[in-house]
Amino acid sequence: SLDEVAEYGKKVQAFTDKYKTIFATMIGNPTIMATLALQGKTENPTSLNSPGYKEEEYIKNVSGFGQSTVYFYLRKFQLCYLFEEYENCLNLLPDVEKYFPHMPAHIAYTEFFFYKALLFLALAPSTLEEEKKERSVGFTEAYDLLKLWSSHCEDNFLHLYLLVEAEKLRVEGRDTEAMKCYEKAIESARKYGYINNAAIANELAAK
């Protein structure tokens, strides 16, 4: 649950503060901030500002730390997608990609491509003709990577690929096939303990 994530985050933060591992504290803080946002404890659903954290102050403090910075923008990017603020997602995309070279060894690397693919599919109906080529390239890169990762590690990545595939089928108007794919994505996410992504899949399927 979010309460458990928040509580775990507090323990990690207490540990890193105790041993003065500032770098570890800074990397973890955006996830804690995003958890508070999902709990309704920030000034608005896509804001990371709360009594204990301030976005502007955080960015200032991590200046020069690429990994911390990319986690901040990634968590903002994810929140904006979840709350359907797609234009804000697009505005954040250059910031995520600017610091993206600092992320490759992290699991968040895969999270970014998952949400990027979902974003471009969500925007598909309103995409202008002159925007289609660029977004198609971005989507195809994410889609191909998710497909590759799912073939190597079903436990962690199959449900991500299946959900993106389901959304792709929906956009193409292949609703019957899409619903079967949503069901497979939900089943896979639940099987391997990704209840957060199972929830996203259920919500998208319901639409």
Side-chain angles (χ1 to χ4, degrees):
S1 69
L2 287 172
D3 289 337
E4 290 173 326
V5 174
E7 186 59 33
Y8 182 76
K10 288 178 183 178
K11 291 179 181 179
V12 171
Q13 188 174 41
F15 178 86
T16 56
D17 287 347
K18 178 180 179 180
Y19 292 99
K20 297 180 172 55
T21 53
I22 298 174
F23 179 68
T25 300
M26 290 295 102
I27 283 185
N29 277 354
T31 301
I32 296 172
M33 296 158 80
T35 302
L36 293 173
L38 291 169
Q39 291 178 308
K41 295 179 179 179
T42 54
E43 63 184 27
N44 65 62
T46 58
S47 169
L48 299 182
N49 288 324
S50 68
Y53 301 94
K54 299 298 177 189
E55 292 187 11
E56 190 173 324
E57 182 179 330
Y58 178 84
I59 286 296
K60 181 179 179 181
N61 289 339
V62 300
S63 176
F65 293 96
Q67 289 185 354
S68 303
T69 305
V70 74
Y71 265 92
F72 171 84
Y73 286 118
L74 175 64
R75 297 307 181 217
K76 288 277 291 181
F77 181 77
Q78 290 171 305
L79 285 172
C80 286
Y81 173 80
L82 292 173
F83 288 99
E84 300 182 14
E85 294 185 8
Y86 301 136
E87 289 302 319
N88 285 338
C89 273
L90 284 176
N91 292 335
L92 285 163
L93 197 52
D95 291 314
V96 181
E97 292 180 329
K98 176 181 178 180
Y99 295 97
F100 196 66
H102 298 278
M103 191 191 285
H106 295 217
I107 192 64
Y109 183 86
T110 61
E111 292 179 33
F112 170 64
F113 283 107
F114 173 57
Y115 276 84
K116 184 178 180 180
L118 290 179
L119 171 64
F120 287 147
L121 288 168
L123 289 168
S126 60
T127 298
L128 300 176
E129 192 63 36
E130 59 267 27
E131 298 170 329
K132 286 183 178 179
K133 184 176 180 179
E134 182 179 355
R135 292 184 185 179
S136 176
V137 170
F139 170 77
T140 300
E141 177 191 23
Y143 179 85
D144 288 347
L145 283 171
L146 291 167
K147 186 175 183 179
L148 174 66
W149 294 330
S150 72
S151 70
H152 287 287
C153 184
E154 175 182 318
D155 303 27
N156 292 329
F157 304 118
L158 180 60
H159 70 281
L160 303 181
Y161 167 68
L162 287 172
L163 181 51
V164 169
E165 177 69 10
E167 280 287 272
K168 178 174 174 286
L169 290 168
R170 176 190 61 78
V171 168
E172 293 171 351
R174 298 157 66 183
D175 292 347
T176 302
E177 294 171 83
M179 284 310 302
K180 291 179 180 178
C181 221
Y182 285 124
E183 290 170 3
K184 290 179 181 178
I186 293 165
E187 180 183 357
S188 178
R190 286 176 174 166
K191 179 179 179 181
Y192 296 111
Y194 289 94
I195 57 173
N196 54 324
N197 292 331
I200 295 173
N202 271 298
E203 187 168 334
L204 291 173
K207 292 179 180 179

